[in-house]
Amino acid sequence: MANTKLIVLAFSLYIMLLPFVFDLANAQGLTSGFYNLSCPSAEKLVKTMTEKFVAHAPSFAPSLLRLHFHDCFVRGCDASVLVNSTSNNTAEKDSIPNLTLRGFQIIDAIKSALEKQCPGVVSCADIVALVARDAVTAIGGPTWPVLTGRRDGTKSLATDALTELPAPTMNITQLKANFASVGLSVKDLAVLSGGHTIGISHCTSFAIRLYNFTGKNDSDPSLHPNYVALLKKQCPLTTLLTSIVEMDPGSFRTFDTHYYSVVGRRKGMFTSDGALLTDSTTLAYVQAQASPQSSTFLTDFGQSMMNMGKIGVLTGTSGTIRNQCAIIN
Ligand code: HEM
């Protein structure tokens, strides 16, 4: 009799705790195939349209990857980076680090195609996450599962982007603290920095390392002198404001491990890239990726992108589904 009572008690406890166990399994409410019933063609449409845009203009692939990063690090992956400023609010989009973002029109075009098929269903935040993956895959990079079910934020403040995005001038202590503040690990920092294997930078983002590192018209001694010379050629003072350079020289269109061999040779473009050599964990990661045969970068990247895609997500009844990504309903 006592045994039966114990079993009934244990069973009731199990039933009571089930929702919590389930919640944990479904980290923060994101799931695989969130739109399978509500908009079955959503993921396919995003993929097809992204592939078309990227085939037409491959330089958008890195920009679309960066868009997702800049979204997630500020107020979480809630599409707040897509919102336009209004007469009484300066939005994230118009903050200094975001002035070099590109690809907003691609997200808007995909959103409007989805609105025609399934009005008010697919969030801009999910579109940004899916497009980042599909764009990287489209140029021959890795793929990874993108969980969906994010909802869109209702606030976007330029000041948040200034305080929450990591700056290219950051040292390793600042970078680790910045990543930790959004729940990402030191390994995520080493892996996601590898996103710089593709794309371009404006000379203004690192010019201080070339021309005025300590205020004495000097260059950063941690940057390889040959690379300083090359970058000075590509970024002459006369056209500093308008020039752009490849971030992973010789391989900036290919998603590969080349970034890590460049960084290992003290040729990382930003202070933040070079900083990976100044911590034992990140240094070990850089060194381990130097040989493409034994590199784990491509699979690590997918895992770290999944971690990044969960930052501060709004799910369930939080947030909203915007009608247009650039405008808060
Ligand atoms: C670790 C901290 C990071 C810093 C300080 C940083 C900084 C920068 C800067 C300054 C640029 C050049 C912007 C310009 O002048 O046009 C850039 C470009 C880029 N970043 Fe990062 N970044 C970081 C992490 C990441 C992460 C986590 C990703 C993606 C996973 C990423 C992906 C990219 C890509 C793809 C570009 C090239 C964009 C294009 O070609 O349009 N970055 N980053």
Side-chain angles (χ1 to χ4, degrees):
M1 187 62 192
N3 255 356
T4 321
K5 264 191 180 164
L6 215 67
I7 290 167
V8 170
L9 188 71
F11 186 69
S12 322
L13 257 174
Y14 173 73
I15 296 291
M16 276 163 57
L17 290 175
L18 202 58
F20 301 103
V21 175
F22 192 68
D23 229 31
L24 277 179
N26 256 334
Q28 296 149 334
L30 296 181
T31 54
S32 166
F34 182 80
Y35 301 108
N36 281 355
L37 293 175
S38 56
C39 190
S41 54
E43 291 198 23
K44 181 86 188 92
L45 185 146
V46 172
K47 186 169 189 291
T48 312
M49 286 189 72
T50 306
E51 282 170 352
K52 232 186 222 166
F53 280 116
V54 169
H56 181 67
S59 75
F60 272 109
S63 311
L64 292 165
L65 171 62
R66 186 169 179 236
L67 202 55
H68 185 32
F69 156 52
H70 280 222
D71 181 29
C72 293
F73 269 59
V74 185
R75 307 188 76 86
C77 315
D78 67 343
S80 52
V81 71
L82 306 179
V83 172
N84 283 345
S85 293
T86 58
S87 52
N88 50 22
N89 180 55
T90 310
E92 286 173 32
K93 215 182 218 178
D94 290 316
S95 74
I96 287 170
N98 285 341
L99 295 179
T100 46
L101 288 178
R102 296 162 73 230
F104 295 102
Q105 73 281 28
I106 294 179
I107 305 293
D108 289 342
I110 294 175
K111 170 68 171 174
S112 89
L114 281 168
E115 282 302 295
K116 283 194 189 113
Q117 290 204 358
C118 323
V121 172
V122 183
S123 71
C124 299
D126 275 342
I127 296 173
V128 171
L130 290 164
V131 164
R133 188 265 319 269
D134 293 339
V136 166
T137 313
I139 56 160
T143 189
W144 58 91
V146 173
L147 302 182
T148 40
R150 295 170 190 78
R151 288 168 63 84
D152 300 326
T154 51
K155 248 187 180 178
S156 175
L157 307 171
T159 45
D160 286 343
L162 272 182
T163 52
E164 292 170 32
L165 285 168
T169 49
M170 279 185 174
N171 63 31
I172 197 69
T173 313
Q174 295 167 318
L175 289 166
K176 288 203 294 193
N178 176 272
F179 271 58
S181 73
V182 290
L184 294 184
S185 69
V186 178
K187 178 170 181 187
D188 290 320
L189 167 63
V191 173
L192 290 174
S193 296
H196 291 170
T197 176
I198 49 170
I200 54 98
S201 171
H202 291 75
C203 292
T204 43
S205 295
F206 55 88
I208 193 163
R209 299 188 82 192
L210 307 180
Y211 292 112
N212 207 12
F213 193 61
T214 64
K216 293 177 189 154
N217 297 334
D218 52 347
S219 27
D220 182 348
S222 72
L223 195 57
H224 195 291
N226 293 352
Y227 198 39
V228 171
L230 174 71
L231 289 176
K232 277 184 166 174
K233 237 188 228 159
Q234 295 176 324
C235 300
L237 282 168
T238 45
T239 59
L240 199 59
L241 295 181
T242 49
S243 303
I244 54 170
V245 297
E246 302 172 6
M247 283 212 302
D248 178 9
S251 173
F252 78 112
R253 288 199 182 94
T254 321
F255 203 102
D256 57 11
T257 58
H258 192 254
Y259 165 83
Y260 292 101
S261 43
V262 163
V263 168
R265 282 181 275 128
R266 299 198 290 126
K267 293 180 176 181
M269 179 152 283
F270 309 123
T271 300
S272 57
D273 296 315
L276 298 180
L277 301 176
T278 63
D279 166 271
S280 57
T281 309
T282 52
L283 171 65
Y285 191 80
V286 171
Q287 287 171 338
Q289 308 318 309
S291 141
Q293 289 78 16
S294 56
S295 168
T296 53
F297 171 55
L298 297 183
T299 41
D300 292 340
F301 192 76
Q303 184 55 57
S304 288
M305 285 301 289
M306 289 179 74
N307 298 341
M308 189 180 90
K310 289 180 191 161
I311 298 173
V313 289
L314 302 168
T315 53
T317 52
S318 310
T320 179
I321 303 293
R322 267 179 236 147
N323 300 325
Q324 290 181 54
C325 293
I327 299 169
I328 289 170
N329 296 349

